[in-house]
């Protein structure tokens, strides 16, 4: 464990009978950062959250919190708190009593409780709502109450299990900003669970992308978006154009019948690969100026850009995000720079991928 790590999983496995939920998980959570566990339903992300909280026990492996093994430590003795998807607020209690509940269990002094509740309600912008009934609160306000109830116990780690999923789109976006700002202001470690890739990209310092009980790739939002390790990550994080290609040699890749300069290296000559080009990196131009030619099939206006679907002469589909409008049925050129091309090896592990990236930096 590094000096700034607050949580560590070492070869953690979780299974129920023959159903393996987590497969040999190794991860490290640093103090004071916003982490997101991202993946589809059933991939194991909530199970990791429950293992940190102590709501379930690991089948194998070691979990440490602040450098101490906590596998057998009950939830109420761990310095973590959880905000659940349904908020789990007490409907018969007002805002003050909901937030104060954990402090009353600890038998704190009434004046101390009053001060702490007032302080945390101010943090989540709910000062003056102390006497409000939970049924009178909006979805966003209820979420803030749930967060305040968790924060008032001064946890080292705040766990958030898809707390934005029940909110409408605008409120959800607003709460993303509020949660991120709150985490940065308080300096508490947040571990956030979601299946929404846009949410993960917007809020996180570090993302763990999960699939079928494994962490497929971890890194900053920019790293994962710009350098996906495989087709699964490229598809899950944003829109992608993915085609088969051949790595001719370092910094030279062939796909859709043409050879292009790229910025990838460290692969075998003539190795079969997959190539990713993001829709926003493709520039609409004339056929003469384009590196690829496609025929426009459909076009949708998405507000800030047009989403254009076209097909090249080999039948490959290409998605383009452009502020320019295209004419359905016409042929257009697509232009891109070498750094817009991302080459993925088949079956490359995250460790092998990281080693290859480090080799680029050393050159």
């Amino acid at each position: 464990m590094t000096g700034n790590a607050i949580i560590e999983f070492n070869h953690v496995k979780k299974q129920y009978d023959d159903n393996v939920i987590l497969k040999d998980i190794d991860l490290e959570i640093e103090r004071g950062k916003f982490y997101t566990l991202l993946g589809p339903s059933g991939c194991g992300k909530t199970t990791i959250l429950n293992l940190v909280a102590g709501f379930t026990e690991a089948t194998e492996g070691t979990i440490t919190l602040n450098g101490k093994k906590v596998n057998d430590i009950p939830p109420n003795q761990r310095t973590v708190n959880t905000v659940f998807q349904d908020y789990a607020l007490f409907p018969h209690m007002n805002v003050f009593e909901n937030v104060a509940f954990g402090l009353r269990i600890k038998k704190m002094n009434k004046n101390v409780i009053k001060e702490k509740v007032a302080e945390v309600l101010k943090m989540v912008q709910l000062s003056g709502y102390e006497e409000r009934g939970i049924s009178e609160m909006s979805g966003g306000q209820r979420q803030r109450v749930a967060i305040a109830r968790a924060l008032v116990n001064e946890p080292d780690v705040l766990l958030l299990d898809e707390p934005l999923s029940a909110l409408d789109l605008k409120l959800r976006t607003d709460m993303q900003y509020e949660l991120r700002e709150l985490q940065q202001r308080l300096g508490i470690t947040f571990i956030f669970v979601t299946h929404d890739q846009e949410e993960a990209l917007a809020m996180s310092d570090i993302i763990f992308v999960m699939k079928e009980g494994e962490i497929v790739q971890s890194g900053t939002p920019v790293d994962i978006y710009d350098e996906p390790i495989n087709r699964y990550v490229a598809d899950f994080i944003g829109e992608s154009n993915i085609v088969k290609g051949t790595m001719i040699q370092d910094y030279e890749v062939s796909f859709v019948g043409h050879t292009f300069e790229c910025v990838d290296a460290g692969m075998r000559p003539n190795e079969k690969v997959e190539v990713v080009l993001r829709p926003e990196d493709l520039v609409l131009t004339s056929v003469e100026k384009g590196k690829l030619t496609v025929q426009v099939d459909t076009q949708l206006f998405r507000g800030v850009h047009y989403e254009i679907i076209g097909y090249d002469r080999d039948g490959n589909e290409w998605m383009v995000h452009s502020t320019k409008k295209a004419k359905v049925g016409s042929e257009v050129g697509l232009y891109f720079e070498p750094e817009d091309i991302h080459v993925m090896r088949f079956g490359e592990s995250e460790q092998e991928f990281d080693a290859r990236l480090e080799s680029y930096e050393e050159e």
Side-chain angles (χ1 to χ4, degrees):
M1 177 181 279
T2 63
N4 200 37
I6 191 169
I7 295 169
E8 189 175 33
F9 277 40
N10 285 311
H11 302 295
V12 172
K13 181 179 179 181
K14 179 64 182 178
Q15 69 182 82
Y16 298 96
D17 298 324
D18 294 330
N19 186 18
V20 178
I21 308 300
L22 293 178
K23 308 171 185 176
D24 196 32
I25 295 292
D26 287 314
L27 64 80
E28 190 174 280
I29 303 291
E30 291 187 12
R31 198 177 305 275
K33 290 186 177 181
F34 197 121
Y35 287 82
T36 296
L37 300 170
L38 175 67
S41 297
C43 69
K45 54 189 186 293
T46 296
T47 301
I48 288 180
L49 217 65
N50 289 335
L51 287 166
V52 174
F55 299 144
T56 190
E57 295 181 5
T59 306
E60 295 178 14
T62 303
I63 302 169
T64 59
L65 175 62
N66 284 319
K68 297 180 181 179
K69 182 180 175 181
V70 293
N71 290 55
D72 301 322
I73 303 298
N76 64 336
Q77 293 180 27
R78 301 189 187 196
T79 54
V80 303
N81 274 95
T82 305
V83 177
F84 299 97
Q85 186 173 349
D86 61 0
Y87 310 147
L89 299 172
F90 301 114
H92 62 287
M93 294 182 183
N94 62 22
V95 170
F96 181 92
E97 291 302 330
N98 263 279
V99 176
F101 182 78
L103 303 181
R104 294 202 189 284
I105 294 294
K106 295 177 181 178
K107 302 187 185 302
M108 282 192 174
N109 178 277
K110 289 183 178 180
N111 291 330
V112 174
I113 291 175
K114 187 175 180 180
E115 289 176 7
K116 285 183 173 293
V117 171
E119 181 182 0
V120 78
L121 287 178
K122 183 178 180 181
M123 287 180 191
V124 298
Q125 301 176 12
L126 285 178
S127 296
Y129 285 78
E130 288 83 353
E131 302 302 320
R132 187 75 62 91
I134 295 301
S135 62
E136 303 171 56
M137 309 287 283
S138 68
Q141 289 170 333
R142 291 182 190 186
Q143 190 207 49
R144 291 183 201 171
V145 175
I147 292 170
R149 186 178 62 181
L151 291 176
V152 79
N153 291 297
E154 300 178 359
D156 290 329
V157 181
L158 185 64
L159 309 175
L160 302 108
D161 189 5
E162 300 203 52
L164 307 184
S165 60
L167 305 180
D168 63 55
L169 180 60
K170 185 178 186 308
L171 182 55
R172 187 170 185 159
T173 302
D174 291 343
M175 290 306 300
Q176 289 173 12
Y177 283 106
E178 289 193 24
L179 275 178
R180 182 59 172 149
E181 189 276 332
L182 185 65
Q183 186 274 328
Q184 290 176 329
R185 180 154 44 88
L186 297 177
I188 294 174
T189 304
F190 277 30
I191 305 178
F192 187 90
V193 163
T194 186
H195 61 269
D196 187 319
Q197 50 92 8
E198 290 185 5
E199 204 163 75
L201 291 172
M203 300 171 69
S204 313
D205 291 312
I206 300 292
I207 299 173
F208 293 104
V209 182
M210 297 192 65
K211 178 186 179 184
E212 297 176 353
E214 296 180 298
I215 296 172
V216 182
Q217 186 173 0
S218 61
T220 68
V222 171
D223 287 344
I224 287 179
Y225 188 83
D226 288 346
E227 297 287 346
I229 194 171
N230 55 31
R231 176 182 283 268
Y232 172 80
V233 177
D235 270 339
F236 202 83
I237 303 288
E239 301 285 356
S240 299
N241 296 295
I242 305 176
V243 293
K244 292 181 180 179
T246 302
M247 197 71 185
I248 304 301
Q249 59 185 0
D250 286 354
Y251 313 116
E252 194 172 287
V253 64
S254 172
F255 58 94
V256 295
H258 303 279
T259 299
F260 302 97
E261 179 187 351
C262 65
V263 296
D264 288 283
M267 302 179 195
R268 295 181 295 275
N270 298 313
E271 180 177 351
K272 298 301 180 183
V273 294
E274 290 186 293
V275 177
V276 178
L277 281 160
R278 296 289 189 181
E280 66 271 19
D281 291 331
L282 297 175
V283 179
L284 281 183
T285 187
S286 64
V287 172
E288 294 74 25
K289 293 181 180 179
K291 293 185 175 181
L292 295 176
T293 300
V294 300
Q295 184 172 30
V296 178
D297 183 67
T298 59
Q299 178 174 254
L300 296 174
F301 181 58
R302 295 294 189 186
V304 295
H305 63 256
Y306 291 96
E307 184 175 283
I308 300 161
I309 301 294
Y311 292 86
D312 63 28
R313 289 162 191 170
D314 293 328
N316 297 300
E317 180 181 286
W318 294 90
M319 178 186 289
V320 182
H321 290 169
S322 176
T323 55
K324 294 181 180 179
K325 197 172 182 179
K327 183 179 179 180
V328 173
S330 67
E331 283 198 333
V332 297
L334 301 182
Y335 181 82
F336 46 88
E337 297 287 351
E339 57 266 26
D340 298 326
I341 300 172
H342 172 62
V343 180
M344 303 183 300
R345 297 183 97 164
F346 288 99
E348 187 171 44
S349 70
E350 185 171 23
Q351 290 77 16
E352 292 167 337
F353 176 77
D354 289 342
R356 185 155 57 83
L357 288 187
E358 288 174 8
S359 71
Y360 301 166
E361 296 171 0
E362 291 169 1
E363 293 178 359

